[in-house]
Amino acid sequence: MIKVNIDLNLCQSHGECVAIAPDLFQLDENDFIVWQEEVDDGRRADLEAAVNTCPMTAISIEG
Amino acid sequence: MRLVIVGASLAGLRAAQAARRAGHDGELVVIGAEPHLPYTRPPLSKELLQGRQELEDSALPVDELDVRWRLSTEATGLDRTRRRVRLRDGAEESYDRLIIATGCRARRFDGPGGGLPGVHTLRTLEDAVALRAALAATHRLLVVGAGFIGCEVAASARSLGLAVTMVDIASHPLAPFGPALGERWAQMHRDHGVELRLGVGLEGLYGDASGARVAGARLSDGSSVDADTVLIALGSTLNNEWLTGAGLELDPAVACDRTLTSTHDPDILAAGDIASVPAALAGGARVRVEHWTTAAEHGQLAGRNALADHAERESHTAPPYFWTDQYDAKIQALGCPALAEETPLLELAPDGTRLVAACVREGRAIGVVAVNAARRLAWYRRALQTPQPLGELAAALAQDGSSLGNPGGARR
């Protein structure tokens, strides 16, 4: 499993990660990010794209 | 295989990372004109100027990327026959595949007084450091150009308590978003104390009595504005001179197909500001998107595609996305607002602070602009991939039932 962290001090709700993997990342009613914290290894490419496209470099992955 | 990337900003970095991740184990050279490792530019006009971030916060993580960096090194020419990039210091780098990511630089004002001390542009880290130091000793800032950079710096300067005048030859700020929304941006800046001078151009800048530094500007309507610091925010110029005579198709950016491959040479790709790429929302016309996200997306794709044969390369399909933060407004845009003829409201929250407007050309939505509505924008990313009759988009919105609110009885 891959662990997904989002630094909420950095996140500005651009929604890039939501566009890349809407099943793993969503914006709630107040435009705050909610996300799946443990993700299957098969989704590594999507997670890396989210990390590399986040304008705030708020997303990091481990494992 | 020897991969050379010219440009060490976001697109160049993302290309290098993607190439390594995709298994490139040959040589990888990144050539950058600036002395720095890659950094992110959006905070330079906002958090950094406002003192909420420091210089080191702008650095982009480079990790243990196996790259030979050639920084402070400007590319001056391209010889496709010999597959070499010529460098300012007389050296050359040979390539098997080349990614062009040299981007843009700030356009300067070459009229009278453009070279006076106290006249700034904002593009690089050095520019931001110089402007931040200048603002600390500034009472009156003049911003010439009410585009993204101009508006963001005006907002940052107001947050620092400076008197700010912003001038633009257009009738409203953020011209690419059209006149209807422009009234809203103009009011937002006025509400925050910016003196807006719209529909007037800059004739020239004048110095103080000793001529040692800028003291103000003469405008095209015969008036003048006193200022102790001036920001010239008149857009950007492509760093494409080094490609002159190389036999690539320049429009004047590097003309590419959807795979970011240059139209005349399958061994050369381009990414970011300097890539001109067909976009579905522009009806398949090539567009150049001078914004952060496109640079990041292009870089990732170009890095992977450079390893593959042309026929195997993937296409870039994500619609252009860009944003600006001014005061308490996050303005996000999708698609091609600059090509729109009108921008009718699709959604408006009851309190008027959040909205989504459609960007419409020939009856079709080709983009949206959202204010403080990030979640709604995510909906349009799915709903609007190609030009769509406005009525169909409105019907899909009505059926979805997630709108912020009806823009009002005046429009049906």
Side-chain angles (χ1 to χ4, degrees):
Chain A
M1 295 294 270
I2 303 170
K3 196 165 178 337
V4 183
N5 296 306
I6 298 183
D7 185 336
L8 294 178
N9 292 318
L10 293 177
C11 176
Q12 291 187 3
S13 305
H14 284 285
E16 289 296 334
C17 52
V18 179
I20 290 165
D23 57 327
L24 304 180
F25 302 92
Q26 292 100 35
L27 292 168
D28 72 10
E29 293 288 336
N30 299 311
D31 288 346
F32 290 123
I33 193 76
V34 289
W35 72 100
Q36 193 175 315
E37 296 184 10
E38 301 260 322
V39 176
D40 194 81
D41 287 324
R43 303 297 301 281
R44 186 173 301 278
D46 280 344
L47 290 176
E48 283 176 348
V51 167
N52 286 312
T53 314
C54 173
M56 309 313 297
T57 54
I59 309 174
S60 56
I61 56 177
E62 293 169 50
Chain B
M1 205 274 276
R2 193 177 154 81
L3 176 60
V4 172
I5 299 170
V6 186
S9 192
L10 177 65
L13 171 64
R14 290 291 183 256
Q17 290 169 321
R20 283 293 185 225
R21 206 175 300 118
H24 176 57
D25 57 4
E27 271 198 273
L28 179 51
V29 182
V30 180
I31 298 165
E34 292 184 58
H36 311 282
L37 283 168
Y39 59 91
T40 190
R41 297 186 202 275
L44 302 188
S45 53
K46 302 185 277 284
E47 291 85 350
L48 192 92
L49 274 194
Q50 293 160 22
R52 295 192 284 124
Q53 261 192 26
E54 288 310 313
L55 280 183
E56 51 272 22
D57 297 323
S58 300
L60 285 165
V62 172
D63 308 325
E64 283 125 39
L65 189 62
D66 178 16
V67 161
R68 185 156 65 82
W69 298 99
R70 291 202 66 159
L71 302 176
S72 304
T73 303
E74 195 185 339
T76 54
L78 172 62
D79 182 339
R80 292 198 299 126
T81 324
R82 292 167 58 239
R83 294 169 172 265
R84 303 252 171 118
V85 176
R86 285 190 294 275
L87 306 176
R88 173 73 68 203
D89 60 11
E92 294 183 325
E93 284 287 349
S94 64
Y95 64 85
D96 296 308
R97 297 270 162 87
L98 177 70
I99 298 175
I100 296 171
T102 42
C104 294
R105 58 184 181 274
R107 182 173 294 146
R108 294 178 184 279
F109 174 64
D110 21 344
L116 281 168
V119 180
H120 295 252
T121 55
L122 179 53
R123 175 84 188 177
T124 66
L125 210 49
E126 280 78 9
D127 293 341
V129 169
L131 183 59
R132 182 161 78 163
L135 292 186
T138 294
H139 298 288
R140 289 200 63 89
L141 171 69
L142 171 64
V143 176
V144 181
F148 284 74
I149 296 290
C151 284
E152 289 176 1
V153 171
S156 296
R158 286 299 302 142
S159 80
L160 297 170
L162 308 187
V164 178
T165 303
M166 183 156 59
V167 174
D168 200 299
I169 191 75
S171 59
H172 50 272
L174 301 176
F177 291 157
L181 291 169
E183 274 311 305
R184 185 174 285 269
W185 322 133
Q187 195 56 48
M188 175 175 75
H189 281 280
R190 288 194 189 100
D191 287 348
H192 285 85
V194 173
E195 188 188 334
L196 278 182
R197 302 290 306 277
L198 298 170
V200 291
L202 176 64
E203 291 282 307
L205 301 167
Y206 53 83
D208 59 13
S210 66
R213 68 173 285 118
V214 72
R218 290 186 309 278
L219 305 181
S220 60
D221 63 355
S223 66
S224 61
V225 177
D226 291 337
D228 32 25
T229 298
V230 174
L231 176 75
I232 300 294
L234 294 172
S236 55
T237 307
L238 286 166
N239 291 323
N240 61 357
E241 292 84 353
W242 68 286
L243 300 169
T244 305
L248 291 175
E249 184 185 357
L250 301 178
D251 72 0
V254 179
C256 295
D257 65 17
R258 288 176 199 272
T259 72
L260 310 181
T261 306
S262 68
T263 53
H264 286 185
D265 189 334
D267 291 328
I268 299 181
L269 299 88
D273 293 3
I274 199 153
S276 183
V277 182
L281 282 170
R286 283 197 299 252
V287 297
R288 208 164 65 70
V289 182
E290 234 180 84
H291 295 286
W292 196 97
T293 305
T294 299
E297 291 171 353
H298 277 183
Q300 291 170 71
L301 183 62
R304 286 201 304 275
N305 277 353
L307 309 184
D309 290 336
H310 190 198
E312 312 287 311
R313 292 178 187 167
E314 293 168 51
S315 292
H316 184 257
T317 54
Y321 165 73
F322 49 99
W323 80 93
T324 173
D325 297 304
Q326 299 169 26
Y327 312 107
D328 48 6
K330 174 178 280 299
I331 304 168
Q332 296 173 291
L334 199 63
C336 304
L339 302 178
E341 293 155 347
E342 50 174 344
T343 53
L345 289 182
L346 286 166
E347 306 183 29
L348 182 64
D351 69 358
T353 60
R354 309 169 70 203
L355 63 86
V356 181
C359 304
V360 179
R361 183 182 177 89
E362 293 166 0
R364 288 165 183 266
I366 57 170
V368 293
V369 176
V371 180
N372 295 333
R375 186 179 193 220
R376 297 302 308 140
L377 194 88
W379 185 84
Y380 288 94
R381 280 184 198 260
R382 292 190 296 275
L384 187 63
Q385 304 266 339
T386 55
Q388 190 174 138
L390 184 59
E392 284 181 22
L393 183 63
L397 177 64
Q399 190 169 22
D400 187 68
S402 58
S403 170
L404 295 170
N406 194 312
R411 268 188 75 252
R412 287 182 55 203

